[in-house]
Amino acid sequence: MATSANDSFFIATPIFYVNDVPHIGHAYTEVAADALSRWMRQSGMDTWFLTGTDEHGQKIMRTALANGVSPKEWADRLVEQSWKPLLQTLDLANDDFIRTTEARHEVAVTKFLTLLHDKGFIYQGEYEGFYCVGCEEYKPAADLVDGVGEFEGQKVCQIHGRPVEVLKEENYFFKMSDFQQDLLDLYQSQPDFIQPPSVRNEIIAFVNRGLDDLSISRSNIDWGIEVPFDKSHVTYVWFEALLNYITATGWGSDEETFARRWPAIQLVGKDIARFHAVIWPAMLMAAGLAPPKRVFAHGWLLVGGEKMSKSKLTGIAPTDITSVFGSDAFRYYFLRAITFGSDGSFSWEDLSARYEAELANGLGNLASRVIAMITRYRDGVIPDGAPGSAPAEAALQAVMAEAVPAADAAMNAFAPHEALGQLWRIVDATNGYITEQEPWVLAKDPQEAQRLDAVLYNAADALRCLAVTLSPFMPQATHKLWVALGMPGSLQDQNIPDAGFAGGLTPGVSVGELLPLFPRIDPEA
Ligand code: MSP
């Protein structure tokens, strides 16, 4: 595989706090990054998908203490029992998983701090401000709101609804204010650097108002990475967490790998877009490194109209869904039902309705009917009807030829919902083709044997196309389909852009048994 920077597709999720177990909001970022990276890998890009955990800071330290264990013990427990198992729950094909307590991260963070200090971008000063432990961030007074319920009469964080703490400290500061103009120039020269436009506009307005320097050390806690030039301080958790994207890809230790991977595409929730589109590129500029390729902010999953979160008790565990519907349906649902970049409401009713209509009745039924007819009418051997140019076949082939590049364009524009919409045109067109061609009628007339061959071949060929192009979204069901079609080689190695060309299916091959792709869900279970 070529390794020029142009071929590189390096996508990273935020690294997740280990104070608590994963919920479906976290899982949403993960499945989006996974589907995008699988798609790009199968389109010939030199792909790397990084995810991991953010383990330092006050929030985790306090949770650990409240549970009577050390922060490291707590982090180890949560990573092993909850965060790494999430990778299996969601069927993620990540290339790396970084923990901020690993030596590779700590060593490179130390190096980065030393570099910025030597370059004169770090100085000592005093800070007093309102700190939200939930956000791990100082909050400007303007961002606080009046508390309600038990916090009535107090100023609280808008996101967490909990009181902020007043902190006064001797800190080290990063001269972020030096980079205001460079950042504005970056947003100007690369209009798609921050997406979607709503978030871009908000960030530009924020930077236009002027940037403060950033406090990057803490002396009141010891759960963090020591500041190399002052051992009485640890690094501010966000400052080191952002560095994971380069510490995991060889910065400071393996420059060849780093040059091959960097810059990354940063997929983030909109609540943390500012960290990634302002602080992070400023840090990189100070070190003389390229900013990320793009910062894409997705919306929030809402439950009952509110941002779903554990602290507000609206949290839903990913396994609550996958244990009933399976990981494919989880992945499909969140990527199809929500416009990527906007907020979206989750409801069990919507999930079950789509499972039933689109997966079980739409794709699942189509696949089982076609395989069953090949078994019944052609002794399980794919007939040589390839691919044919009669009007009905030509129409079906045209849908495939159009939908695959359109889905590719949508994936390149970070619109998985649209890509799935395009690919579903193939599902619908194939279902329509079978209804119109009535293979069960053709099967009764020996004169129509050739027509029947053509219909069965073309329908199965469309399934081949769907298996390849839907595999980044639903790796398990598409694998079953691929095997049932008797296709050789691994599905994950199939090239997506080629999948839209008709005639890729091999005639003369025996189909296998197709296990139900989307089994009926027992409502009582
Ligand atoms: N540790 C920081 C990120 C550091 S990156 C250098 C953090 N962690 S987090 O665990 O709180 O959140 C991780 C991601 O989950 C964020 O992108 C956040 O937007 C996303 N989500 C958390 N709740 C969410 C929803 N309800 N809906 C969608 N995504 C949400 O922030």
Side-chain angles (χ1 to χ4, degrees):
M1 168 127 355
T3 58
S4 84
N6 283 342
D7 283 349
S8 169
F9 183 85
F10 168 24
I11 189 162
T13 67
I15 48 173
F16 300 92
Y17 287 130
V18 293
N19 61 310
D20 211 339
V21 297
H23 59 56
I24 57 173
H26 305 126
Y28 180 52
T29 318
E30 293 277 40
V31 300
D34 189 61
L36 284 161
S37 63
R38 284 176 187 260
W39 184 278
M40 297 305 166
R41 186 173 290 117
Q42 284 184 245
S43 301
M45 300 291 282
D46 182 22
T47 303
W48 198 253
F49 166 24
L50 172 69
T51 187
T53 42
D54 189 354
E55 305 186 12
H56 292 124
Q58 296 202 22
K59 180 150 66 174
I60 285 139
M61 194 179 81
R62 286 186 190 177
T63 310
L65 293 182
N67 284 277
V69 293
S70 73
K72 181 66 168 62
E73 278 172 309
W74 178 261
D76 286 347
R77 185 189 297 175
L78 268 277
V79 168
E80 290 312 321
Q81 294 179 2
S82 303
W83 288 93
K84 286 200 169 158
L86 179 70
L87 307 173
Q88 275 82 54
T89 302
L90 302 173
D91 208 355
L92 303 183
N94 55 306
D95 295 290
D96 195 1
F97 185 98
I98 185 155
R99 299 182 54 180
T100 54
T101 48
E102 284 174 54
R104 61 172 169 162
H105 179 70
E106 300 197 348
V107 168
V109 167
T110 306
K111 214 165 173 172
F112 192 90
L113 281 165
T114 308
L115 174 70
L116 261 53
H117 191 241
D118 292 349
K119 285 179 139 212
F121 287 118
I122 292 178
Y123 66 92
Q124 203 170 10
E126 190 165 271
Y127 200 86
E128 181 167 13
F130 302 111
Y131 197 76
C132 170
V133 177
C135 294
E136 291 282 14
E137 187 185 16
Y138 277 110
K139 296 277 169 185
D143 282 4
L144 302 178
V145 295
D146 291 326
V148 290
E150 61 175 313
F151 304 125
E152 197 158 328
Q154 301 183 56
K155 288 286 180 192
V156 301
C157 163
Q158 219 167 9
I159 295 173
H160 290 89
R162 301 185 140 267
V164 286
E165 298 172 18
V166 179
L167 282 189
K168 184 176 180 180
E169 282 193 291
E170 272 281 300
N171 282 341
Y172 287 91
F173 285 80
F174 165 50
K175 281 191 183 171
M176 195 158 72
S177 55
D178 279 11
F179 296 94
Q180 181 185 10
Q181 197 51 49
D182 292 334
L183 287 168
L184 291 170
D185 292 346
L186 169 68
Y187 309 150
Q188 185 70 32
S189 64
Q190 283 183 48
D192 58 1
F193 176 70
I194 308 169
Q195 285 186 317
S198 53
V199 176
R200 175 173 190 261
N201 294 340
E202 187 193 310
I203 299 274
I204 293 178
F206 173 77
V207 176
N208 262 323
R209 288 197 291 273
L211 289 178
D212 291 333
D213 290 342
L214 180 73
S215 153
I216 58 155
S217 75
R218 299 286 178 267
S219 56
N220 63 334
I221 61 166
D222 61 2
W223 179 233
I225 300 177
E226 234 172 50
V227 171
F229 37 84
D230 185 341
K231 310 258 182 231
S232 65
H233 285 242
V234 296
T235 314
Y236 167 45
V237 61
W238 265 104
F239 196 81
E240 53 118 329
L242 286 163
L243 287 167
N244 88 85
Y245 308 119
I246 64 169
T247 64
T249 43
W251 180 80
S253 62
D254 176 357
E255 291 306 324
E256 199 183 319
T257 300
F258 182 61
R260 174 176 173 184
R261 300 286 172 223
W262 191 255
I265 286 159
Q266 315 277 178
L267 211 60
V268 299
K270 63 180 181 179
D271 49 329
I272 57 170
R274 247 187 231 179
F275 291 97
H276 286 83
V278 181
I279 300 177
W280 180 220
M283 288 166 64
L284 290 161
M285 286 169 179
L289 298 170
K293 200 176 277 175
R294 185 174 291 187
V295 177
F296 191 99
H298 64 71
W300 284 343
L301 293 189
L302 309 175
V303 172
E306 269 199 54
K307 179 185 180 220
M308 197 213 49
S309 80
K310 290 291 281 186
S311 56
K312 289 186 183 155
L313 298 179
T314 48
I316 299 172
T319 46
D320 291 347
I321 295 177
T322 56
S323 60
V324 180
F325 293 92
S327 59
D328 277 355
F330 184 104
R331 298 165 61 100
Y332 172 80
Y333 173 74
F334 285 105
L335 296 178
R336 174 85 197 254
I338 298 169
T339 299
F340 204 56
S342 306
D343 291 350
S345 293
F346 168 78
S347 81
W348 289 99
E349 291 74 17
D350 190 30
L351 168 64
S352 321
R354 281 184 182 267
Y355 182 86
E356 197 63 21
E358 291 160 22
L359 295 180
N361 293 338
L363 178 62
N365 240 347
L366 170 67
S368 64
R369 279 166 86 201
V370 172
I371 302 282
M373 287 191 288
I374 293 174
T375 307
R376 187 153 166 214
Y377 304 138
R378 289 295 178 262
D379 286 333
V381 177
I382 294 175
D384 190 359
S389 58
E393 280 75 58
L396 178 62
Q397 291 159 15
V399 173
M400 277 161 46
E402 275 168 32
V404 175
D408 187 49
M411 289 302 266
N412 277 283
F414 295 81
H417 56 286
E418 220 173 283
L420 280 167
Q422 285 293 338
L423 298 175
W424 236 255
R425 288 175 56 202
I426 305 173
V427 175
D428 295 339
T430 314
N431 266 321
Y433 173 71
I434 292 172
T435 308
E436 278 163 27
Q437 299 307 311
E438 301 183 308
W440 47 91
V441 176
L442 299 175
K444 289 186 187 135
D445 182 355
Q447 304 283 328
E448 295 285 13
Q450 239 182 326
R451 266 309 295 144
L452 181 61
D453 283 352
V455 173
L456 294 178
Y457 180 86
N458 279 278
D461 193 43
L463 287 181
R464 170 205 52 82
C465 169
L466 286 168
V468 176
T469 52
L470 289 174
S471 67
F473 302 95
M474 295 181 280
Q476 295 192 8
T478 52
H479 172 73
K480 286 185 201 160
L481 183 54
W482 185 252
V483 171
L485 289 169
M487 289 299 289
S490 155
L491 179 56
Q492 265 67 54
D493 294 338
Q494 306 307 311
N495 179 269
I496 287 180
D498 290 345
F501 300 118
L505 190 69
T506 327
V509 166
S510 294
V511 297
E513 191 197 350
L514 181 66
L515 301 167
L517 300 186
F518 304 103
R520 299 265 162 234
I521 308 281
D522 176 2
E524 301 303 314

